[in-house]
Amino acid sequence: MSDTVGEHDEERPARRLSGRWERFVWAAAIAIALLVLKQVFLPFAKGNQFYLVIFLGVTLPLVFLCYRPRGRRIEPDGDAPEQVQDDNPGPLDWLFAAVALLVGLYPVLPLAIGDFGGGYDAFLDRQGVLSTSDIVAGALLLVLILEATRRTTGLVLPVVCLVFLAYAYYGGYLPQSWNIAHAGVDFSQIVNALYNDQSGFYGVPLDVAATYIVLFTIYGAVLASSGAGTFFVDLSFALFRRSRTAPGRTAALSGFLLGTVSGSGTATTVSLGAITWPVLRKAGYPRENAGGLLAASGIGAILSPPTLGAAAFIIAEYLETSYLTVLVWAIVPTLLYYLGIVFAVEADARRFGAKRVDIETPPVRTLLLRGGYHFISLAIIVVFLALDIPPFTAVVYATGVAALFALLSRLYAARHDGLGPALLGWVRSIAGALAEGIRGALPVIAVCAAAGVITSTITKTGLGQELAAALVDAAQALASNPTVILMLTVVFAAVAVSVLGLAVPVTASFIISWVVLGPALADLGVAPPEVAMFIFYYAVLSEVTPPTALASVAAAAITGGSVMKTMWQTWKYTLPAFLVPIAFVLTDNGSALLLQQPVGTVLWVTVASALGVAALAVVTGGWLFGPARWPARALCAVAALLLLYLQPLSIAVGVGFFAVAVVVHLVMRSRETVEGQGA
């Protein structure tokens, strides 16, 4: 399973360390985890940026020890991956790690040799007038961050960063008649902005990674080590085991629950597929359809409360709101997303003639009595957030509760065999989870540090506003009606985020899109929450967007289906998620989908959107009360678009189209039945 994740997940192509090197990295990761936990309750007196300098300085070296210079291992003599004996870091990796440690911690080194070092306060005093050693250290750190990003996510994001750096330096050579031309930024000032300013390496993205993301990653690892993943899947099987649609429903629910212990849609897809694909196959699902369902279910986990994806924490920081507020915004879109999957599962079960599959699991009541405590830590996060306790504090308490229940479970299971070995096993398990949490966050840390290059360049040059204006100008060149201009701009923005997401990870895609595309939508009157959630959804959905669709590729690897056909099946299951975010921003009523309107408005908007999702399910699934022919599907397509344009008149017309589609379908089905009887 780990091989599939490593090959297809854009954020986790890690080494398999062994021997003393594995123990060294394990110990270092635990030490970093303790540093992160210490910062929650005993923050550094010198401030948050001081902590971020130390955090980046100690995590960046681990990237070079845990990730290969090339994305995949070289297999000697055609051996399988399991037969590769040495995947440990080499001399160059150790050199990079040592230099990363030195230049990463350089701003806080108290030792002063000439103009080298001098401590954190002295480093801040040199802001804007960096010394030669400051510039050299900053330049080296820039190179190492780009290399770390290349190792963890591929070449595209570092190249994007280099393009932005080139634009900052050579902007003065552009024709001054161009709107994006500027005076140019000196290299020392570029380094200063990255290394000694809050908008560079140590900006909001890294701040979020070093507080929220890494703590939630540790929490997920602790929850997984306690057996929560197995419990969630068993519970899903037990809930739906008596229906022919049970296998599909089980896959969807299992994906949602497994997402709480995994921060990656692709990783969730792989974990889910290893367990549920054999059941889907027995039920009669074709390989491609099963793969599409697995990928859609895996992605749904990071679109949904209570965890969402890493970019959700950045939304909270950018909008200066609470993480709980972001969770609330995601409730209705999550319901619509899974409603679309349920409709698709129901249609597929009938189209394929899916069979009931008997799964031997204990009753739901028994499972809840045995493992229901796994939900307690999730509930603690939500309750603490509702009490206005900071997310990073809430998740630490939730992690402690999860670890405590894991201990009690082990002690109870070993009550007749001796408690000593059980206690020792628990200590090893928690220590391993702490280390795994830090190692799992390394790709996001590298991406967030690299994102600082882009945000800093845009801040220094004003590029974001110019690109946003260009996007609006392109829409205005095609239309003069304000509503049409907004529609075109939204479509352009959706395509831009999707294309960007094909090349860079979700977190980076969101950050870049926010600073470039966000102002364009804001200039047209779209409120920040709708803009942020629109960009967030399209950034996440890049994992199921052809032609890359990493989650779909991973699902196809499990089921053995055609990759491209699996991608299109995934798109069928996730189509509501592509269209509902557009509804956020097209009309003022769209904010009701984010629970930002009175209850009455929220209700009728949600009902209209649910009807739109149902119409889409008919279009993509080809099933209503029986096989749906093209006239009914065409009418449903029009109905769906009208229903998702959340204005009373368009909704009324959309309901009419949907009703006509149902009548046409029933008439055609009746005729087919009569003709069949006559034959």
Side-chain angles (χ1 to χ4, degrees):
M1 185 187 303
S2 60
D3 289 341
T4 306
V5 176
E7 184 174 356
H8 300 297
D9 192 339
E10 61 187 345
E11 293 186 351
R12 294 184 182 176
R15 279 186 166 110
R16 287 183 179 179
L17 301 176
S18 60
R20 56 183 177 177
W21 306 127
E22 167 65 19
R23 292 190 292 272
F24 174 81
V25 169
W26 182 82
I30 291 176
I32 294 172
L34 295 177
L35 168 70
V36 173
L37 295 173
K38 175 261 178 196
Q39 177 66 12
V40 173
F41 299 104
L42 296 171
F44 287 104
K46 289 184 177 293
N48 190 58
Q49 190 165 348
F50 182 84
Y51 163 66
L52 294 180
V53 170
I54 295 176
F55 179 80
L56 183 61
V58 295
T59 53
L60 189 61
L62 286 187
V63 175
F64 299 105
L65 302 182
C66 294
Y67 290 82
R68 313 175 193 95
R70 290 171 293 276
R72 300 181 184 180
R73 279 173 295 179
I74 298 174
E75 313 296 351
D77 301 324
D79 287 346
E82 290 76 4
Q83 296 172 297
V84 178
Q85 297 181 354
D86 188 5
D87 197 23
N88 292 321
L92 186 62
D93 300 312
W94 284 103
L95 175 62
F96 282 0
V99 176
L101 182 66
L102 176 63
V103 299
L105 296 179
Y106 168 86
V108 300
L109 293 178
L111 180 64
I113 303 176
D115 63 354
F116 181 91
Y120 182 64
D121 292 335
F123 180 73
L124 292 182
D125 290 340
R126 297 193 296 273
Q127 189 175 57
V129 285
L130 298 184
S131 67
T132 301
S133 62
D134 294 339
I135 296 172
V136 171
L140 286 173
L141 184 59
L142 170 62
V143 171
L144 290 168
I145 287 174
L146 295 181
E147 168 61 11
T149 307
R150 186 195 67 79
R151 290 189 180 208
T152 55
T153 66
L155 191 60
V156 175
L157 182 56
V159 170
V160 172
C161 291
L162 290 174
V163 169
F164 275 88
L165 290 170
Y167 168 73
Y169 187 76
Y170 292 108
Y173 294 97
L174 295 174
Q176 293 304 301
S177 59
W178 292 10
N179 291 335
I180 62 172
H182 61 93
V185 184
D186 182 75
F187 181 73
S188 64
Q189 291 305 307
I190 292 175
V191 173
N192 180 80
L194 296 175
Y195 200 32
N196 202 342
D197 192 279
Q198 293 185 351
S199 66
F201 300 141
Y202 311 112
V204 169
L206 185 66
D207 187 13
V208 170
T211 51
Y212 302 101
I213 295 174
V214 71
L215 287 169
F216 271 82
T217 307
I218 291 173
Y219 166 67
V222 170
L223 201 59
S225 71
S226 69
T230 302
F231 164 73
F232 290 150
V233 174
D234 288 345
L235 179 63
S236 300
F237 278 124
L239 284 170
F240 298 125
R241 60 183 175 179
R242 295 188 179 277
S243 167
R244 66 175 177 174
T245 60
R249 292 178 180 178
T250 298
L253 179 59
S254 298
F256 172 76
L257 294 174
L258 284 174
T260 62
V261 298
S262 170
S264 163
T266 303
T268 302
T269 298
V270 172
S271 301
L272 179 64
I275 300 168
T276 59
W277 162 234
V279 179
L280 293 172
R281 180 172 53 197
K282 289 180 181 178
Y285 273 75
R287 296 177 185 272
E288 290 78 12
N289 293 77
L293 175 59
L294 294 173
S297 301
I299 287 298
I302 55 175
L303 288 171
S304 310
T307 51
L308 293 176
F313 300 104
I314 298 176
I315 292 175
E317 286 296 307
Y318 279 161
L319 299 185
E320 297 181 347
T321 189
S322 69
Y323 180 61
L324 179 61
T325 300
V326 180
L327 295 185
V328 170
W329 292 343
I331 290 174
V332 174
T334 296
L335 294 176
L336 294 174
Y337 180 84
Y338 280 99
L339 182 64
I341 290 182
V342 168
F343 284 150
V345 166
E346 295 292 330
D348 283 352
R350 288 160 176 77
R351 263 195 318 135
F352 306 142
K355 302 184 292 290
R356 172 179 166 178
V357 179
D358 292 323
I359 305 296
E360 293 298 327
T361 59
V364 173
R365 183 173 179 274
T366 302
L367 283 172
L368 289 175
L369 288 174
R370 290 178 184 174
Y373 62 85
H374 290 299
F375 289 115
I376 295 177
S377 61
L378 290 170
I380 285 175
I381 293 176
V382 176
V383 171
F384 278 25
L385 291 176
L387 295 174
D388 208 23
I389 295 174
F392 42 83
T393 304
V395 74
V396 170
Y397 284 121
T399 303
V401 169
L404 176 61
F405 275 108
L407 172 62
L408 295 177
S409 177
R410 280 178 178 264
L411 294 178
Y412 180 78
R415 63 190 182 280
H416 301 304
D417 303 322
L419 302 182
L423 181 61
L424 181 60
W426 175 81
V427 171
R428 289 175 176 171
S429 173
I430 297 302
L434 291 175
E436 184 60 31
I438 295 298
R439 291 174 68 169
L442 291 177
V444 180
I445 294 168
V447 165
C448 288
V453 175
I454 297 169
T455 56
S456 178
T457 300
I458 289 174
T459 301
K460 293 284 282 186
T461 62
L463 178 62
Q465 285 294 339
E466 296 298 337
L467 292 178
L471 187 68
V472 176
D473 289 343
Q476 291 175 339
L478 298 174
S480 57
N481 183 281
T483 301
V484 178
I485 291 172
L486 176 58
M487 287 182 176
L488 290 173
T489 304
V490 167
V491 172
F492 292 161
V495 172
V497 179
S498 298
V499 171
L500 180 63
L502 300 179
V504 300
V506 169
T507 307
S509 176
F510 174 82
I511 293 169
I512 297 171
S513 300
W514 173 258
V515 297
V516 174
L517 302 174
L521 295 173
D523 289 344
L524 294 175
V526 183
E530 289 92 275
V531 174
M533 295 302 286
F534 169 81
I535 294 174
F536 168 70
Y537 273 83
Y538 271 94
V540 172
L541 290 168
S542 64
E543 288 202 34
V544 291
T545 302
T548 53
L550 295 177
S552 302
V553 174
I558 293 171
T559 65
S562 164
V563 171
M564 288 306 300
K565 290 181 180 179
T566 300
M567 287 183 186
W568 289 114
Q569 289 298 324
T570 305
W571 188 79
K572 176 191 77 174
Y573 282 105
T574 58
L575 183 59
F578 282 92
L579 295 184
V580 169
I582 294 179
F584 298 164
V585 296
L586 282 185
T587 67
D588 293 338
N589 292 324
S591 62
L593 292 175
L594 305 182
L595 299 181
Q596 296 188 93
Q597 298 270 12
V599 174
T601 305
V602 169
L603 288 176
W604 71 258
V605 164
T606 302
V607 170
S609 300
L611 283 174
V613 169
L616 282 174
V618 176
V619 176
T620 58
W623 192 275
L624 191 49
F625 300 107
R629 307 305 177 192
W630 71 263
R633 294 172 76 174
L635 289 168
C636 283
V638 176
L641 295 176
L642 289 169
L643 286 164
L644 291 174
Y645 187 77
L646 300 173
Q647 293 285 48
L649 178 59
S650 63
I651 290 172
V653 177
V655 170
F657 268 90
F658 200 3
V660 172
V662 172
V663 171
V664 169
H665 170 71
L666 292 175
V667 169
M668 295 183 70
R669 191 179 180 209
S670 176
R671 287 180 179 175
E672 291 173 356
T673 302
V674 171
E675 291 173 358
Q677 291 174 348

